[in-house]
């Protein structure tokens, strides 16, 4: 790892080194340290206080043998989280006091002078809680975020985050990319979410939109000839928040000219490998395997497959169609399929658990989950009766279902069964520990459909965004059968999470017009929303493409955090509130007035 990217600070007016990084060679020297009073232990006349800063801990030893009486008195009055500066002699701890778990666990500072730089009030949440203490309620922690952030886990998370971003910067810089900022006050962007808007005071009644991504600007930078752009970009999307979403998030956003997919993948893979290496010392092997969207859906039921799970979905429609089981007859008669997967050794999963998994499948929109187990006495489970004899033997042979195995089945239309099969595969694999934690499931998913049908209206929406190049060459084809057209869009999936997406962009005016037509944009709307981009394209646009990596998600995965909130310094709650600063807030009448806004009278 490149330690220089988060290297040790030089000595300052207040300290010779950071607490957790005092070198052992300094034993015997007089040194000065500063930080927060962490834990304390009082052994009568002798007091130990841990001095903490970002780097770690140094044990301070106050002892009448070397500490003057007034300093002992001051130490007695110190409270948790007071900020102090101390001087003393660096010494080795007595052998029985060595703590092998901390880098400075063999050292202590024998304090001869101390000054309190600031005092802490009584803490609303403990910083130095006992190791097994449960964390306080998250709302309270978010309210006092600055105290929560003092915990060492956070220090590590943000160090990893910093190193990963620094690695992305240097990897892209080495590949000839220029870091260029794009505006925050802009027009609506076409990422498909709702915009945050900012009223203009100068232009009463008009609004800026905050960017959902720098998409349009980065494409225009390609028209300008910058050739390779990147930005550590803040993106804002006003969505109804689901469990682990944030209204603002960070992307490593990049765009490049005169490229096809292979060129983009190469740059992106090396950048991700650098981020993981610098971030956590993980060796990521490139190139990543590639799967088309259809293959991913067929083999895993999702476009974000977790490749650490070896089980794949199989289509059993032909094997099970004729066995006489009513559900199968009905589903196949309606054109549905019977798909499933084998859980080796899954025979031990209890009936009640399988019943609960059936509920889980239904929650995902499937009619239900069926199962059969193969035991010493033959098959058991819902359709078991129909598997006696040749049909069952053939199934076992063809699908490698051995004694003790479980076969999970979901029947119906793919749109209903795929989500269920995906969730069942991941849930059962986690429960029976079939996720290979030592593996790294990196892959590209490519060839997404260009359009998706809106679940409610059936209208076409862009599956990536409207500026993605279709795989088809002709606008006529695209207009005739839009839902069959594939996009030159791609995602990077890591262990079942989408952490990057991008596309080769459409730089052909006829195709672009056809796409916008399918999406239902009138000429006026097109001109109004994206006119500046399309106009720019009239003056010589190079073929171009790019990607954006979700930094928050990437770092969450690197450090194994439970939530994005653990790698974002000041996150919002799932209800999009900032609890520490108390945002959003109401504006007073006069402020509203300045924007020409009036509160709706209720
Ligand atoms: N703008 C896209 C996004 O935010 C990424 C890209 O296509 O480069 O997902």
């Amino acid at each position: 790892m490149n330690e220089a990217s988060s290297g040790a600070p030089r000595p300052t007016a207040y300290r010779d080194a950071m607490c957790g990084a005092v070198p052992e060679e300094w034993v015997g020297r007089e040194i000065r340290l500063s930080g927060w009073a962490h834990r304390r232990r009082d052994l009568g006349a002798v007091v130990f206080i841990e001095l903490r800063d970002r780097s770690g801990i140094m044990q301070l030893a106050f002892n009448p043998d070397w500490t003057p009486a007034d300093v002992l008195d001051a130490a007695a009055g110190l409270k948790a989280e007071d900020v102090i500066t101390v001087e003393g002699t660096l010494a080795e701890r007595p052998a029985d006091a060595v703590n092998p778990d901390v880098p400075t666990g063999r050292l202590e500072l024998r304090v001869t002078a101390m000054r309190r730089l600031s005092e802490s009030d009584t803490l609303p949440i403990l910083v130095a809680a006992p190791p097994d203490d449960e964390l306080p309620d998250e709302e309270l922690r978010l309210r006092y975020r600055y105290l929560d952030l003092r915990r060492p886990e956070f220090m590590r998370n943000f160090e990893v985050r910093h190193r990963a971003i620094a690695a992305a910067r240097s990897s892209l810089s080495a590949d000839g990319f220029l870091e260029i900022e794009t505006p925050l006050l802009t027009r609506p962007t076409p990422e498909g979410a709702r915009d945050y808007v900012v009223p203009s005071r100068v232009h009463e009644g008009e609004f800026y939109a905050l960017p959902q991504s720098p998409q349009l600007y980065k494409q225009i930078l390609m028209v300008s000839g910058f050739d390779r752009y990147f930005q550590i970009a803040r993106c804002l999307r006003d969505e109804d928040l689901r469990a682990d979403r944030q209204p603002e998030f960070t992307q490593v956003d990049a765009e490049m000219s005169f490229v096809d997919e292979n060129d983009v993948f190469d740059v992106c893979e090396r950048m991700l490998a650098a981020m993981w290496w610098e971030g956590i010392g993980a060796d990521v092997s490139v190139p990543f395997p590639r799967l088309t969207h259809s293959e991913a859906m067929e083999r895993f039921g999702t476009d974000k497959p977790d490749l650490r799970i070896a089980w794949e979905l199989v289509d059993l429609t032909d094997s099970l169609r004729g066995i006489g089981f009513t559900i199968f007859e009905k589903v196949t008669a309606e054109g549905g399929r019977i798909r499933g997967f084998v859980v080796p050794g899954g025979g031990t999963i209890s009936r009640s658990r399988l019943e609960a998994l059936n509920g889980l499948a239904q929650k995902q929109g499937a009619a239900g989950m069926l199962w059969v187990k193969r035991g010493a006495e033959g098959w058991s489970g819902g359709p078991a009766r129909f598997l006696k004899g040749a049909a069952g033997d053939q199934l076992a042979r063809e699908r490698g279902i051995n004694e003790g195995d479980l076969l999970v089945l979901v029947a119906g239309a793919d749109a209903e069964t795929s989500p269920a099969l995906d969730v069942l595969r991941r849930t059962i694999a986690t429960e029976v520990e079939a996720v290979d934690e030592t593996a790294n499931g990196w892959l590209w998913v490519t060839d997404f459909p260009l359009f998706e049908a809106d679940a409610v209206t059936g209208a076409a929406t862009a599956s990536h965004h409207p500026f993605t190049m279709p795989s088809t060459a002709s606008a006529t084809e695209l207009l005739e059968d839009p839902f069959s057209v594939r996009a030159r869009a791609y995602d990077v999936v890591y262990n079942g999470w989408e952490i990057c997406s991008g596309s080769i962009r459409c730089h052909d005016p006829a195709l672009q017009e056809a796409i916008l037509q399918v999406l239902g944009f009138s000429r006026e709307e097109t001109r109004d929303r994206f006119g500046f981009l399309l106009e720019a394209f009239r003056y010589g646009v190079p073929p171009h493409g790019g990607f954006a990596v979700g930094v928050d998600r990437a770092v969450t995965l690197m450090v194994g955090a439970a939530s994005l909130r653990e790698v974002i310094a000041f996150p919002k709650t799932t209800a999009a509130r900032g609890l520490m600063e108390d945002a959003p807030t109401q504006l007073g009448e006069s402020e509203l007035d300045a924007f020409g806004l009036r509160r709706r009278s209720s």
Side-chain angles (χ1 to χ4, degrees):
M1 265 180 273
N2 176 7
E3 289 302 333
S5 63
S6 54
R10 290 179 179 222
T12 72
Y14 286 89
R15 64 178 181 216
D16 295 314
M18 291 192 77
C19 298
V22 175
E24 289 202 7
E25 305 82 78
W26 286 9
V27 166
R29 276 206 215 171
E30 298 292 312
I31 62 167
R32 182 165 183 191
L33 299 175
S34 295
W36 285 260
H38 194 61
R39 286 197 189 87
R40 68 180 291 150
R41 253 178 323 132
D42 286 274
L43 308 173
V46 180
V47 176
F48 294 102
I49 293 176
E50 288 174 338
L51 185 66
R52 188 197 73 238
D53 62 20
R54 187 183 94 193
S55 66
I57 293 278
M58 172 59 67
Q59 171 160 292
L60 306 180
F62 298 83
N63 185 317
D65 289 351
W66 55 74
T67 313
D70 60 326
V71 177
L72 284 173
D73 276 354
L78 277 185
K79 291 180 294 161
E81 301 303 308
D82 283 351
V83 176
I84 55 175
T85 184
V86 290
E87 285 171 28
T89 315
L90 189 69
E92 275 183 33
R93 293 190 200 182
D96 58 351
V98 166
N99 177 358
D101 300 332
V102 250
T104 53
R106 302 161 56 81
L107 302 173
E108 66 182 18
L109 189 73
R110 300 193 167 161
V111 178
T112 51
M114 178 176 82
R115 190 151 59 89
R116 178 151 59 183
L117 302 174
S118 74
E119 219 175 313
S120 169
D121 273 356
T122 307
L123 296 163
I125 57 175
L126 291 183
V127 175
D132 296 331
D133 219 31
E134 278 202 11
L135 289 175
D137 173 61
E138 199 185 8
E139 290 222 340
L140 188 67
R141 288 164 50 208
L142 287 169
R143 161 83 179 78
Y144 294 100
R145 184 65 168 175
Y146 40 86
L147 292 179
D148 204 29
L149 286 173
R150 287 183 187 174
R151 287 192 288 122
E153 297 90 294
F154 278 114
M155 299 296 162
R156 173 179 139 78
N157 290 358
F158 285 93
E159 222 173 274
V160 169
R161 184 180 176 115
H162 162 77
R163 286 201 301 256
I165 292 177
R169 267 205 171 92
S170 55
S171 174
L172 292 173
S173 304
D175 273 333
F177 285 75
L178 299 184
E179 185 166 1
I180 301 176
E181 286 130 295
T182 56
L184 279 180
L185 294 176
T186 174
R187 295 179 64 86
T189 14
E191 298 288 352
R194 233 180 252 279
D195 293 304
Y196 278 99
V197 293
V198 179
S200 161
R201 183 184 52 79
V202 179
H203 306 285
E204 207 179 281
E206 295 182 46
F207 295 82
Y208 299 99
L210 298 176
Q212 292 183 35
S213 82
Q215 186 63 35
L216 303 183
Y217 290 106
K218 69 172 171 174
Q219 292 194 240
I220 289 178
L221 288 171
M222 297 304 103
V223 176
S224 300
F226 281 101
D227 199 82
R228 291 178 171 213
Y229 136 99
F230 83 98
Q231 181 177 195
I232 312 299
R234 194 65 68 78
C235 303
L236 299 106
R237 299 183 189 177
D238 184 7
E239 294 178 287
D240 293 329
L241 294 184
R242 282 180 262 143
D244 201 18
R245 282 273 183 113
Q246 285 288 317
E248 50 182 310
F249 56 94
T250 306
Q251 291 185 339
V252 181
D253 189 55
E255 194 74 9
M256 46 205 298
S257 295
F258 302 109
V259 290
D260 70 8
E261 285 83 342
N262 291 322
D263 306 305
V264 179
F265 289 10
D266 172 55
V267 163
C268 184
E269 283 167 347
R270 283 184 294 103
M271 183 194 84
L272 286 167
M275 289 173 74
W276 254 256
W277 175 250
E278 296 289 342
I280 52 168
D283 214 344
V284 173
S285 74
V286 298
F288 304 155
R290 300 179 191 184
L291 276 185
T292 65
H293 178 264
S294 339
E295 274 177 285
M297 294 306 293
E298 187 60 25
R299 288 170 56 187
F300 305 101
T302 172
D303 55 10
K304 297 186 263 299
D306 186 344
L307 295 189
R308 296 172 305 165
I309 307 165
W311 316 335
E312 294 197 14
L313 306 186
V314 283
D315 182 351
L316 298 164
T317 315
D318 287 341
S319 319
L320 298 176
R321 173 185 277 137
I323 62 168
F325 187 62
T326 324
I327 296 176
F328 293 165
E329 307 302 311
K330 187 165 169 290
V331 164
T332 51
E334 287 165 358
R337 297 201 289 166
I338 309 156
R339 291 191 295 161
F341 57 91
V342 180
V343 180
T348 52
I349 300 176
S350 71
R351 276 176 183 264
S352 61
R353 184 61 203 139
L354 291 164
E355 202 36 58
L357 290 166
N358 176 45
L360 187 65
Q362 288 170 341
K363 249 206 211 140
Q364 305 304 315
M369 176 194 103
L370 292 158
W371 57 268
V372 280
K373 289 178 180 175
R374 189 153 179 249
E377 273 86 56
W379 299 94
S380 61
R385 201 151 58 84
F386 305 93
L387 291 173
K388 288 202 186 104
D393 290 346
Q394 194 181 343
L395 179 72
R397 206 171 42 247
E398 281 177 10
R399 301 299 169 183
I401 309 169
N402 298 315
E403 218 177 282
D405 293 351
L406 166 78
L407 173 64
V408 171
L409 295 165
V410 182
D414 286 4
E416 286 146 24
T417 59
S418 289
L421 285 162
D422 167 42
V423 169
L424 291 171
R425 175 177 169 272
R426 285 185 289 121
T427 308
I428 299 173
T430 307
E431 287 176 8
V432 305
E433 294 180 6
V435 183
D436 180 356
E437 300 287 350
T438 62
N440 276 307
W442 291 97
L443 76 151
W444 288 100
V445 178
T446 63
D447 300 271
F448 283 79
L450 186 62
F451 300 108
E452 278 165 11
D454 182 277
V456 183
T457 62
T461 57
S463 24
H464 187 217
H465 50 60
F467 304 106
T468 301
M469 182 72 106
S471 306
T472 177
S474 101
T476 332
E477 246 178 87
L478 195 144
L479 289 168
E480 264 166 19
D481 189 6
F483 287 108
S484 72
V485 176
R486 298 276 142 185
R488 292 178 64 185
Y490 35 77
D491 281 356
V492 175
V493 176
Y494 172 61
N495 293 350
W497 294 94
E498 175 207 314
I499 59 161
C500 167
S501 68
S503 58
I504 299 298
R505 321 300 181 188
C506 185
H507 65 280
D508 174 319
L511 281 172
Q512 186 63 67
E513 210 171 290
I515 293 171
L516 292 167
Q517 199 178 322
V518 173
L519 291 172
F521 287 109
S522 66
R523 271 180 198 283
E524 291 74 63
E525 270 175 301
T526 302
R527 200 172 335 110
D528 184 46
R529 292 199 54 189
F530 323 116
F532 67 109
L533 175 75
L534 301 179
E535 186 182 22
F537 279 11
R538 299 214 310 261
Y539 299 100
V541 52
H544 60 290
F547 62 84
V549 168
V551 171
D552 311 298
R553 172 71 59 208
V555 179
T556 302
L557 292 168
M558 280 185 210
V559 301
S563 146
L564 297 176
R565 295 188 293 281
E566 292 178 32
V567 303
I568 296 174
F570 302 106
K572 301 283 186 288
T573 63
T574 42
R577 282 198 173 279
L579 297 184
M580 181 189 74
E581 65 280 49
D582 189 19
T585 50
Q586 301 221 340
L587 292 184
E589 287 304 329
S590 63
E591 286 159 300
L592 286 174
D593 225 34
F595 294 114
L597 295 173
R598 198 168 319 123
R599 203 166 311 202
R600 186 196 296 162
S601 49
S602 46

